[in-house]
Amino acid sequence: MADQAVQDQRIAAMTFASIYPHYVTKVEKKGRTVEELHQVIEWLTGYDSAALQSHIDEKSTFSTFFQDANLHPNAALIKGVICGVRVEEIETPLTRQVRYLDKLVDELSKGKKMEKILRS
């Protein structure tokens, strides 16, 4: 349990700006676009491109990034395994939200249709 608390703290302290380039690389390598990535992030968080850029410029931690977000009401429909853990079983809200984002980026890079990714 102590290991999970350390992991949760580490995730909370990471900056969105440090992870964002990895998301871009991952989706572009698989033939998807930055615009599609932004669409997915906006669906989950409510951030438009300007707000997203602001969080990148300010080097917001994931804690701040998700604290300011308006999480989509259907975010709880995001299920599956990411990093060897079932997203829906993650107890710490912030860690679960970060993994929601990871899962959506993963689905985008795997070529899933946007309607399915956005749970519409």
Side-chain angles (χ1 to χ4, degrees), residues 14-25 34 37-38 41-42 45 47-62 64-66 68 101:
M14 280 184 191
T15 63
F16 177 75
S18 70
I19 303 302
Y20 176 76
H22 299 288
Y23 290 154
V24 171
T25 300
V34 171
L37 173 63
H38 285 197
I41 294 171
E42 183 173 351
T45 64
Y47 295 138
D48 61 14
S49 290
L52 190 60
Q53 190 60 51
S54 177
H55 277 287
I56 292 168
D57 293 344
E58 293 171 14
K59 295 186 177 15
S60 298
T61 62
F62 271 119
T64 301
F65 183 79
F66 279 103
D68 295 344
L101 181 55

Side-chain angles (χ1 to χ4, degrees), residues 29-114:
K29 191 182 340 178
K30 298 293 186 163
R32 301 305 284 259
T33 66
V34 171
E35 290 77 20
E36 288 174 309
L37 173 63
H38 285 197
Q39 184 180 357
V40 166
I41 294 171
E42 183 173 351
W43 177 86
L44 179 64
T45 64
Y47 295 138
D48 61 14
S49 290
L52 190 60
Q53 190 60 51
S54 177
H55 277 287
I56 292 168
D57 293 344
E58 293 171 14
K59 295 186 177 15
S60 298
T61 62
F62 271 119
S63 182
T64 301
F65 183 79
F66 279 103
Q67 178 182 329
D68 295 344
N70 275 324
L71 216 59
H72 194 281
N74 289 345
L77 298 176
I78 301 168
K79 300 190 186 302
V81 177
I82 193 82
C83 298
V85 178
R86 293 208 66 77
V87 175
E88 61 272 22
E89 294 176 1
I90 297 172
E91 292 183 19
T92 307
L94 176 61
T95 302
R96 185 174 47 249
Q97 292 166 353
V98 172
R99 295 306 184 200
Y100 282 163
L101 181 55
D102 291 343
K103 184 70 178 164
L104 294 176
V105 171
D106 194 47
E107 290 175 354
L108 182 64
S109 71
K110 287 183 176 177
K112 230 179 179 184
K113 292 185 180 191
M114 196 59 81

